[in-house]
Amino acid sequence: MTAMNMAEIAVPSLRLHDGIEIPQLGFGVFQVPPEETQGAVEMALGAGYRHIDTAAAYGNEREVGAALASSGLAREDYFVTTKLWNSEHGHDSALVAFEASLDRLGLDHVDLYLIHWPVPTEDRFVDTWRAFERIYEEEAARTIGVSNFRVEDLERLEAETDTRPTVNQVELHPGLQQAELRAWHGEHRIATEAWSPLAQGGLLGNETIAGIADRHGKTPAQVILRWHLRLGNVVIPKSVTPRRIQENLDLFDFELSEKDVAEVAGLDGGRRIGPDPSTFVAP
Ligand SMILES: NC(=O)c1ccc[n+]([C@@H]2O[C@H](COP(=O)([O-])OP(=O)(O)OC[C@H]3O[C@@H](n4cnc5c(N)ncnc54)[C@H](OP(=O)(O)O)[C@@H]3O)[C@@H](O)[C@H]2O)c1
């Protein structure tokens, strides 16, 4: 199979509550140094990924934009997410930060713009969200969402603003399954997007996962990613390793059984590897 044939692999899309479609599997670039980003994103696009997840804070939007430009893909054929950093909360500063992201990406719109963290201790995310509503109305973001929001943060947006986020991107992997938050999302038609879906590699040596992988002739990473897809999560694994970039896309020739899913459910320990959204501020 050539790289461009791989691009025809049917990565499923989810329809968000505003009608926008998001590819359920994307490519994350957190901790990819700027000098490696363009090459990694070009490799991912060549392998068939059509959804890239970056952020102002990652310091690599410019290189993501360069890879998209050099791909020759039509704008409507890829989906780009970026995020507003914690230091830019507030209505006017969010508008300025958004323009700066667009400029670095070299795009006239993004597909999804996210508030990266709620920073509840500063209590500004409602004002920020009003700027997001304006960006959405002006069609500079096709859809708008949040990241690392807790149920109480989502409830505030629900009570105080007119537009419900379409996506909440949160830490989620077999060690932190986020049942309560996922249930709330389900009731409110908010898509759950899983960050650190592989627990940054921390679960790949787990015996239970390895047992399931053996039964299917797949790798532990593929089992975990398939588990996310089965739960209905959007998933954005990161890798700079060519073989793994391919491997993480090669998920569509097997299904997990009920038994497999029950075994993964048993791994939930409420263990975060990232910061706690209740207290996290700009570092
Ligand atoms: N919204 C937020 O606050 C937030 C926070 C964190 C992350 N994110 C997003 O979520 C994306 C993914 O999360 P993440 O980067 O933290 O972690 P991750 O995707 O769970 O794990 C990435 C790590 O796993 C390794 N890996 C990837 N595929 C593998 C495979 N098939 N076999 C073995 N090892 C593999 C990678 O190594 P190599 O690269 O060396 O191959 C890397 O060390 C980020 O890139 C970012 O876009 C968002």
Side-chain angles (χ1 to χ4, degrees):
M1 198 180 273
T2 66
M4 279 306 143
N5 281 339
M6 288 285 292
E8 285 150 26
I9 283 178
V11 172
S13 287
L14 298 183
R15 186 177 292 276
L16 302 173
H17 72 63
D18 61 3
I20 296 296
E21 297 215 346
I22 182 169
Q24 207 185 345
L25 177 74
F27 182 71
V29 295
F30 176 45
Q31 292 177 325
V32 182
E35 61 278 13
E36 285 181 49
T37 300
Q38 183 172 349
V41 174
E42 284 174 354
M43 216 182 309
L45 294 171
Y49 294 80
R50 290 293 179 268
H51 168 180
I52 310 296
D53 183 88
T54 185
Y58 301 169
N60 55 19
E61 289 172 305
R62 209 174 283 287
E63 291 74 16
V64 168
L68 292 168
S70 79
S71 71
L73 288 167
R75 178 64 188 87
E76 61 274 19
D77 290 338
Y78 59 81
F79 188 103
V80 186
T81 302
T82 195
K83 313 183 190 88
L84 174 109
W85 188 234
N86 300 355
S87 50
E88 311 304 323
H89 270 289
H91 181 272
D92 294 353
S93 38
L95 294 177
V96 172
F98 177 69
E99 285 303 322
S101 280
L102 276 188
D103 184 56
R104 287 188 292 269
L105 285 161
L107 297 175
D108 64 3
H109 70 279
V110 295
D111 296 280
L112 172 60
Y113 196 39
L114 299 177
I115 299 181
H116 207 145
W117 292 87
V119 198
T121 48
E122 291 182 7
D123 195 20
R124 285 191 297 166
F125 67 77
V126 173
D127 281 345
T128 305
W129 188 248
R130 294 204 174 97
F132 272 52
E133 290 179 312
R134 181 165 154 188
I135 289 165
Y136 177 66
E137 278 157 22
E138 290 173 353
E139 299 182 0
R142 292 173 65 231
T143 190
I144 49 174
V146 294
S147 177
N148 300 302
F149 272 45
R150 309 161 301 166
V151 167
E152 63 207 270
D153 306 323
L154 294 167
E155 283 174 339
R156 269 198 71 194
L157 287 187
E158 193 73 18
E160 296 180 36
T161 71
D162 299 327
T163 314
R164 178 179 294 167
T166 55
V167 171
N168 189 14
Q169 184 184 115
V170 295
E171 180 180 344
L172 205 171
H173 43 71
L176 181 72
Q177 298 191 16
Q178 300 268 30
E180 185 200 347
L181 190 56
R182 288 184 50 250
W184 202 94
H185 290 166
E187 284 160 22
H188 295 81
R189 299 186 57 221
I190 294 175
T192 302
E193 186 167 13
W195 63 254
S196 295
L198 300 171
Q200 296 191 339
L203 284 167
L204 299 177
N206 177 275
E207 269 181 27
T208 302
I209 302 287
I212 300 171
D214 284 348
R215 290 205 287 275
H216 290 280
K218 301 297 276 189
T219 67
Q222 289 170 326
V223 165
I224 294 175
L225 295 173
R226 189 72 225 185
W227 171 81
H228 282 285
L229 297 178
R230 179 168 169 137
L231 254 54
N233 300 336
V234 179
V235 71
I236 44 172
K238 168 264 177 189
S239 177
V240 292
T241 312
R243 181 179 51 77
R244 293 173 174 173
I245 289 175
Q246 292 279 354
E247 180 183 319
N248 294 347
L249 190 62
D250 181 17
L251 306 176
F252 301 103
D253 60 351
F254 78 115
E255 291 274 359
L256 297 183
S257 67
E258 293 296 331
K259 176 173 182 275
D260 299 330
V261 173
E263 286 183 13
V264 179
L267 300 179
D268 191 10
R271 289 182 300 272
R272 284 185 190 281
I273 54 175
D276 183 338
S278 307
T279 49
F280 189 58
V281 231

